[in-house]
Structure formats: C-alpha cells, structure tokens
Amino acid sequence: MTLKVRKPFIAGNWKMHNNLEESKKLAQAIVDASKNKTDVEIMIAPVFTAINTVSKITKGTNVILSAQNCHWQEQGAFTGDVSPAQIKDAGASCVILGHSERRSIFGETDEIINKKLKTAVKFGLTVVFCVGETLQQRESGKTFEILSEQLKKGLADISKEQTENLVIAYEPIWAIGTGKTATPTQAQETHKFVRQELSKLFDESASDKIRIIYGGSVKSENIDAIMSRPDIDGVLVGGASLKAESFLRIINFKNE
Ligand code: PGA
C-alpha cells in the first residue's frame, strides 16, 4: 500500500453536460456521500449556468466547486465570456484552465492560458492547469519537450507562493474520452518528469507540494491502479464523473 504524501485531489469535469436538475442531483449525491471524507479533496466543475445553483449545495461542505474556463480580464466588452471575479461571485473557488478541448477546439495558446492563469490566481481561485501531448507527439518521442514548453509558458510569471493554489493535470490528449488510458507506468513516468520541471521552474519544496493529477479515460475499473503510483496525486475525470456511482467509487479509490 502506497501512502500518499500529498492529499489526493479528485476532480469531476462535467464538460457541457447536465441541465440544472441533473446538476443539482449529481452534486447532492456527491456531497451526501462524502460528508465525512477528509482524506481526499473533491472538486466538481459544472457548466457556468449551473454554478450558482450548485454552490447552494456545496457551500460549507468539503466539495470544491469549479468553473471549466475563465477570461483573463476582470470585466469588460468580451461578449460571451466570464471573468474570475464573476466565477467567485457565483460561488466557485476553482477553475480548470488549458484543457485540451479549449486548446484544440477554441484555439487557446499557451500565452492565452498563461494570461488566464495569472488573473485567476490573482483573484484567489485555485487553478487546475491541464497539459498533455497528442498521440503523434508521443509517437515521435516529443512528449517531454511538449510538456516542458506548456509548463514553462503556461506558468510564466507565476510565483512560488502562488503555486499553493495550483494543481497540474496531466492529460494525454489521446486518452481523453477515447477509452484508452496511459498505463499507470506511463503516467507515473510522465508525472515524475512534470514534477522535475516544476522544481526547475520554482524549487523542490514547491514542486513536492504541487498535486499532479492524471486525466484521460479514468474510471472505476482503473482508478486503483492509477492511484497506486507515487507521483499521481489524484485524477481529473470526464465521462465517469457524470454518474454518482462511478464518481463515488473513484473518490473512494483503494490503495493497491
Ligand atoms: P474523460 O475526460 O475522463 O472522459 O477521458 C477527461 C477530461 O477531459 O478531463
């Protein structure tokens, strides 16, 4: 059994799923089942329109409420966007940034993500910052180079102190929503590399504390093996976070 050095962070990214009723039901089931659960941090990220409603359920509980994206300005003429201040105002305390769907579908660059990250941290939001390589990049041996670049650019101008509000999510793009998962060995090897990079960007004491979570087809069937690796400090779950039963099994992972 591996004892976790860092408190595990288990996050559910609901993406563009669930109406208000479904969001409330799912949030309530997670809150109810995790009342006395203090050994992990649990985060859920509904769509923007459900954040305020869900905040009434998560308030005062140990479930952290997150947005899935934000703008880099506090307010202004940015039709269709939402600022970190507004996310906080709606009742969330966390935001996911740099998700591969934002990068590939919405054209977000490392520079844009960095601007968002800096504002989010400034407003006191915890940031789950996603990095990951494509299949082609992995097959051509570029994984570490890509990750190093995403980390360096995405975390530019972030201070060591600000890393206290930072969680890194390693999500190999080829594993997201595909049913293919990085093997626990592949994930551990990559997480270890990410931790070394963080230690270069900040220092060893900061990198020792930052949670590096894995994402990409995590489900109840593979969670125990994934969590058994020393540098895997949690998971970012998409599909399997939409059903209370599977997400709760993931939260209650067993150390192998
Ligand atoms: P998945 O998504 O678990 O459905 O693969 C993970 C993610 O995109 O965060």
Side-chain angles (χ1 to χ4, degrees):
M1 174 171 150
T2 333
L3 260 185
K4 289 285 173 196
V5 188
R6 294 159 286 269
K7 193 170 188 173
F9 191 92
I10 310 287
N13 175 11
W14 295 358
K15 307 194 180 185
M16 204 170 73
H17 293 288
N18 292 340
N19 61 26
L20 278 183
E21 258 330 289
E22 289 160 344
S23 300
K24 280 201 277 187
K25 241 176 111 186
L26 183 54
Q28 192 66 58
I30 294 163
V31 163
D32 289 347
S34 57
K35 257 186 197 130
N36 303 313
K37 194 128 184 81
T38 50
D39 54 341
V40 294
E41 271 181 43
I42 302 159
M43 178 273 249
I44 52 173
V47 288
F48 280 133
T49 50
I51 286 182
N52 190 247
T53 305
V54 171
S55 77
K56 297 184 174 89
I57 296 167
T58 55
K59 199 172 176 198
T61 72
N62 49 5
V63 175
I64 299 165
L65 185 58
S66 179
Q68 300 172 14
N69 179 32
C70 71
H71 196 266
W72 61 83
Q73 295 282 352
E74 189 179 346
Q75 58 175 5
F78 301 102
T79 303
D81 233 313
V82 180
S83 75
Q86 289 157 340
I87 287 169
K88 273 188 89 171
D89 187 43
S93 60
C94 181
V95 63
I96 300 172
L97 291 175
H99 191 279
S100 65
E101 284 150 19
R102 299 295 319 170
R103 293 177 190 261
S104 64
I105 306 170
F106 301 97
E108 290 191 15
T109 61
D110 291 321
E111 288 72 23
I112 292 175
I113 296 159
N114 175 247
K115 286 207 274 183
K116 294 183 173 196
L117 210 145
K118 285 191 283 195
T119 320
V121 167
K122 189 175 129 204
F123 278 90
L125 291 174
T126 295
V127 175
V128 175
F129 169 43
C130 307
V131 293
E133 81 287 1
T134 62
L135 186 58
Q136 199 195 11
Q137 289 162 341
R138 176 160 281 268
E139 284 174 347
S140 55
K142 292 214 171 86
T143 300
F144 288 173
E145 192 186 313
I146 295 293
L147 292 176
S148 174
E149 175 126 336
Q150 288 175 343
L151 289 165
K152 199 166 131 210
K153 291 186 173 165
L155 295 173
D157 304 319
I158 293 294
S159 69
K160 181 186 160 182
E161 289 67 37
Q162 288 172 321
T163 63
E164 284 179 16
N165 287 334
L166 182 70
V167 174
I168 307 285
Y170 166 59
E171 298 206 302
I173 296 169
W174 48 272
I176 297 178
T178 58
K180 284 188 203 164
T181 344
T183 63
T185 306
Q186 272 174 328
Q188 164 58 28
E189 180 197 48
T190 317
H191 281 224
K192 198 169 168 204
F193 172 78
V194 169
R195 199 171 305 286
Q196 281 161 4
E197 291 299 290
L198 292 172
S199 146
K200 283 192 225 155
L201 292 174
F202 304 102
D203 64 20
E204 212 180 304
S205 73
S207 92
D208 274 348
K209 286 193 202 119
I210 300 175
R211 266 88 53 96
I212 306 172
I213 64 176
Y214 170 80
S217 298
V218 173
K219 43 187 184 261
S220 23
E221 293 81 8
N222 57 23
I223 184 66
D224 299 339
I226 291 170
M227 288 303 290
S228 69
R229 302 301 167 121
D231 284 291
I232 304 181
D233 308 314
V235 282
L236 178 55
V237 190
S241 73
L242 295 172
K243 293 261 173 305
E245 195 192 356
S246 53
F247 191 58
L248 292 172
R249 172 62 183 86
I250 290 169
I251 292 168
N252 291 298
F253 69 89
K254 296 179 181 63
N255 278 316
E256 285 193 330

